[in-house]
Amino acid sequence: SHSTTQGVPLPHFFERIQLDVYFFYNHACPHCAKQKPLMEYIDQNNQEVKVYAYEVTQHPDIWDDFLEKYKISTRAVPRTFVRGKTFIGYSEEDGNLEYSSVYNGYTGYKNQIIQAIESELGQKINTPTQKKSLISAWQIFFLPGLYAVSYLFF
């Protein structure tokens, strides 16, 4: 019978890392609407990341708890929490890690939100492929070989 293995603790390295990410948005906010599909994609395509998405008017208590815990005085959304880091706003453009003292958070550039998740996990995550812009030949030429191949064929 298999019951002998029941209750035996697994070695530490079998434990799955799980990173909880919190995304607060308002249904009337256009930037939130742009960020929402990214957060849904990350949640659905990365077993080790769980994204909790809360609409602030429907979950005011949870929103207030986070604002209080992180000592944030502004109620601006979208607001993303990745462990100790908090991001305000959202932009598809890549940008540098910029802290805003007015908003008590980092500017929500897509690449910075993804990098924060990856650095907490210590590994790369699956993100939606950028389909918007066509990659020109010279850009492909300078990409690392494997990356270019996987980009073209998958």
Side-chain angles (χ1 to χ4, degrees):
S1 112
H2 293 285
S3 60
T4 51
T5 56
Q6 298 267 309
V8 174
L10 290 169
H12 185 69
F13 54 79
F14 279 119
E15 288 176 27
R16 253 214 0 251
I17 321 163
Q18 169 138 348
L19 176 66
D20 293 338
V21 173
Y22 296 87
F23 170 57
F24 291 91
Y25 66 97
N26 185 310
H27 58 79
C29 141
H31 288 333
C32 301
K34 283 190 181 136
Q35 185 177 353
K36 204 166 177 249
L38 171 70
M39 303 315 287
E40 285 168 353
Y41 185 97
I42 289 172
D43 181 65
Q44 287 159 13
N45 294 279
N46 296 279
Q47 271 193 312
E48 60 282 358
V49 183
K50 174 81 187 116
V51 177
Y52 294 90
Y54 294 109
E55 207 285 339
V56 291
T57 62
Q58 289 171 17
H59 301 277
D61 299 351
I62 299 171
W63 181 220
D64 287 342
D65 285 349
F66 269 81
L67 294 176
E68 198 176 314
K69 181 183 169 188
Y70 287 86
K71 299 179 173 45
I72 294 166
S73 50
T74 166
R75 308 185 72 81
V77 287
R79 173 76 73 165
T80 312
F81 294 88
V82 183
R83 289 232 172 100
K85 269 201 179 121
T86 155
F87 293 90
I88 178 66
Y90 180 69
S91 172
E92 291 279 327
E93 301 296 311
D94 284 356
N96 296 321
L97 193 60
E98 297 161 2
Y99 188 80
S100 159
S101 50
V102 176
Y103 288 108
N104 297 83
Y106 294 95
T107 307
Y109 294 113
K110 179 180 179 178
N111 66 318
Q112 293 298 338
I113 292 170
I114 291 167
Q115 273 177 38
I117 294 170
E118 290 180 338
S119 72
E120 283 296 336
L121 285 171
Q123 66 190 60
K124 290 278 184 200
I125 59 165
N126 297 313
T127 55
T129 315
Q130 291 284 32
K131 297 194 185 83
K132 284 190 304 181
S133 56
L134 288 168
I135 293 193
S136 61
W138 67 267
Q139 280 176 300
I140 290 173
F141 182 75
F142 286 108
L143 288 173
L146 271 174
Y147 181 77
V149 169
S150 62
Y151 195 94
L152 291 172
F153 297 109
F154 296 111

